[in-house]
Amino acid sequence: MKIAFWSGQEQVGTTFNTTAIACTAAMVYPITIGVVSSGYCNRDLEKNFQGKKQEGKEKPRHLQPGGALLAAEQEEYFPDSGLDCLLRKEQEGELDGRLIQASMEPVIEGRLYCMPGCQKEEYKRWYKDRLFAQMHRIMEGMEAAFDVVFVDCGNRKDDFTQKILRQAELCVLNMDQGEELIGDYYRMPPQFLGKAFFLVGNYFKEELYNRTDLERLYRMDGDMLGAIPYNPQMQAASKAGMMDIGMKKYIRHGMKGKDVDFEREVLRSARLILKSAGVVK
């Protein structure tokens, strides 16, 4: 089962929302979750969990700018973890659930795992390369290994991402409350297989298109919309690669004051997303 997090615009915090909901869901529900980016070399997702581990890492010499080669010409560089490992092993017919989980970084042991991206640089039309064509089978293997897979699609529009969006049981459409994107969705509905859930991150009650306005304008069910309040502490935790540690301070710890709204809404959004996808009742 896949849940895709996607946005039609840039800079709306899709990766932040993906990791916040993933951490919350793993802490509250007895399910296993794998998170992965729809772009094979997107390191932003894993940096939300392991930013410190990424510091000081040096790319292999032949991957430095100016030395880009086709993936098929770079097979010798693959390390023994992440997508780099799985792409090689899959070619050798060794891909299974055990190897997939072993190649991922544990965020919450036994509950939440993150797939490290490739170290090579992405190039245009990468999904046409014979090596990275195996990404589809890796996604299938992840679905078999976890109860649910969260795919951070950002605002990507490549063919691979479009296929993920069509296959997902639920598409979480991330939006900026200052932009009227729900209207675009109703005017030109994307070809999604599953349902849609609208998620506003960095939410302010006083801004244009608040929750009440959106529900009234589009006569939409309130259970189709999440609005996670802006939280400077969690934004800092995200940038520091401590998303899971930051979320532990909020989830069912009886926060008071302004933090109550953040805790309440992230719990509500996680529950509604999982329920809409059929993961929980």
Side-chain angles (χ1 to χ4, degrees):
M1 176 178 292
K2 288 193 292 288
I3 297 178
F5 288 71
W6 181 78
S7 177
Q9 62 181 161
E10 298 180 354
Q11 305 298 322
V12 296
T14 304
T15 298
F16 176 89
N17 293 343
T18 304
T19 55
I21 297 297
C23 287
T24 302
M27 292 175 188
V28 174
Y29 299 97
I31 57 176
T32 58
I33 302 173
V35 291
V36 62
S37 171
S38 69
Y40 72 85
C41 74
N42 182 0
R43 314 303 291 271
D44 290 340
L45 181 65
E46 62 196 278
K47 286 178 181 179
N48 272 260
F49 299 123
Q50 299 156 356
K52 292 182 179 179
K53 290 186 179 181
Q54 305 304 317
E55 292 177 4
K57 278 193 175 181
E58 212 174 289
K59 292 183 179 180
R61 190 178 308 167
H62 59 286
L63 298 183
Q64 298 295 334
L69 301 173
L70 288 178
E73 298 174 303
Q74 294 189 26
E75 295 182 41
E76 73 280 0
Y77 85 84
F78 287 115
D80 293 326
S81 63
L83 279 175
D84 288 325
C85 170
L86 293 178
L87 288 167
R88 179 189 65 196
K89 295 292 185 180
E90 200 285 331
Q91 279 194 321
E92 299 168 4
E94 299 174 6
L95 186 64
D96 59 23
R98 177 196 56 79
L99 179 62
I100 284 177
Q101 187 164 316
S103 298
M104 299 178 73
E105 293 288 348
V107 180
I108 301 174
E109 195 68 48
R111 291 289 187 87
L112 178 61
Y113 294 81
C114 178
M115 178 70 76
C118 288
Q119 296 185 27
K120 74 179 293 295
E121 301 231 352
E122 186 170 322
Y123 58 94
K124 191 175 182 181
R125 301 181 67 79
W126 63 270
Y127 45 89
K128 298 295 184 183
D129 188 286
R130 70 173 181 82
L131 184 65
F132 292 104
Q134 309 301 334
M135 281 283 289
H136 294 290
R137 294 189 62 186
I138 291 174
M139 286 290 187
E140 293 174 0
M142 286 187 66
E143 289 187 80
F146 297 95
D147 293 323
V148 60
V149 176
F150 284 11
V151 187
D152 175 16
C153 297
N155 71 315
R156 300 174 63 90
K157 299 177 177 65
D158 56 75
D159 287 358
F160 182 74
T161 298
Q162 292 301 314
K163 185 172 182 178
I164 293 294
L165 295 175
R166 290 193 298 270
Q167 293 175 340
E169 280 72 19
L170 176 72
C171 289
V172 179
L173 302 178
N174 298 263
M175 57 180 290
D176 185 324
Q177 68 184 114
E179 298 283 344
E180 194 268 291
L181 293 183
I182 294 182
D184 292 341
Y185 170 81
Y186 283 113
R187 284 188 290 271
M188 297 178 291
Q191 295 182 354
F192 295 156
L193 170 65
K195 302 176 183 178
F197 182 89
F198 300 96
L199 185 60
V200 177
N202 295 333
Y203 176 77
F204 293 92
K205 292 181 181 179
E206 299 78 14
E207 286 290 333
L208 184 65
Y209 299 112
N210 60 31
R211 187 207 300 270
T212 302
D213 292 333
L214 292 171
E215 292 177 6
R216 175 178 53 82
L217 284 170
Y218 299 105
R219 300 177 183 177
M220 65 188 304
D221 187 336
D223 286 353
M224 289 179 61
L225 176 66
I228 301 176
Y230 173 74
N231 186 304
Q233 288 78 25
M234 285 309 305
Q235 291 292 330
S238 171
K239 292 179 181 179
M242 301 171 66
M243 196 68 174
D244 54 317
I245 297 173
M247 290 305 302
K248 286 180 182 178
K249 298 178 181 179
Y250 290 92
I251 303 305
R252 292 183 174 173
H253 277 243
M255 302 298 292
K256 298 180 180 180
K258 61 181 179 180
D259 292 319
V260 171
D261 289 339
F262 176 84
E263 178 187 12
R264 183 185 297 119
E265 187 59 26
V266 76
L267 283 166
R268 173 183 174 274
S269 296
R271 176 179 61 82
L272 291 174
I273 287 170
L274 294 178
K275 183 179 179 180
S276 297
V279 180
V280 300
K281 293 183 180 180

